[in-house]
Amino acid sequence: MSAAPTPPGSRPPEQPRGDRLRRENARLERTIARKAARRAQSLRAGRHSIWFGIGMFGLVGWAVAVPTVAGIALGVWLDRRFPDGPSWALTGLVCGVLLGSFNAWWWVRRTGIQDGAPPEPPRTEEEDA
């Protein structure tokens, strides 16, 4: 026998909230574990495709270019606002290049291609126990 149809305008009985929440948590845990395993495997392999290199080249370029242009723009604005004194545009250029170089170094270091070795994968709670 089938269950009686629900009358129009009423909602079918829902599963207990706890069961639904446990299923969602289990699904989320499986997804996170799958992605973490894929990332760890990729880090262990240590090989990078040509697209990774092109992407890193672009990232480093933008990491230097944006602070440099922002420093120059700030320097030009300061030169117009305070015409006497040092050249703020040159000061902004130097500060922007230094900040951009540090930013690019940080990104390259973060990806682990600086020394040719991939960074260690993040530790999980099971490994810490």
Side-chain angles (χ1 to χ4, degrees):
M1 282 191 133
S2 66
T6 57
S10 67
R11 296 183 348 185
E14 293 185 16
Q15 295 178 350
R17 184 176 171 89
D19 290 344
R20 188 174 50 190
L21 190 58
R22 274 192 288 279
R23 273 199 323 271
E24 285 294 319
N25 284 343
R27 187 174 62 86
L28 181 62
E29 286 176 8
R30 284 191 306 268
T31 301
I32 291 171
R34 186 176 63 245
K35 289 183 178 185
R38 192 178 324 145
R39 182 173 190 273
Q41 192 274 333
S42 173
L43 290 174
R44 279 192 300 273
R47 289 177 298 230
H48 300 294
S49 69
I50 186 71
W51 295 111
F52 177 83
I54 291 171
M56 184 56 62
F57 184 74
L59 180 91
V60 168
W62 281 107
V64 174
V66 170
T68 302
V69 170
I72 292 170
L74 178 65
V76 168
W77 180 78
L78 286 171
D79 277 340
R80 288 184 183 156
R81 183 125 171 128
F82 307 105
D84 297 336
S87 172
W88 291 108
L90 289 176
T91 304
L93 171 69
V94 170
C95 290
V97 167
L98 289 174
L99 180 64
S101 297
F102 176 75
N103 192 15
W105 170 81
W106 183 82
W107 276 107
V108 169
R109 179 103 169 133
R110 183 171 180 230
T111 60
I113 62 173
Q114 182 181 26
D115 299 326
E120 290 189 22
R123 297 179 58 92
T124 61
E125 290 179 9
E126 292 90 27
E127 292 175 345
D128 291 337

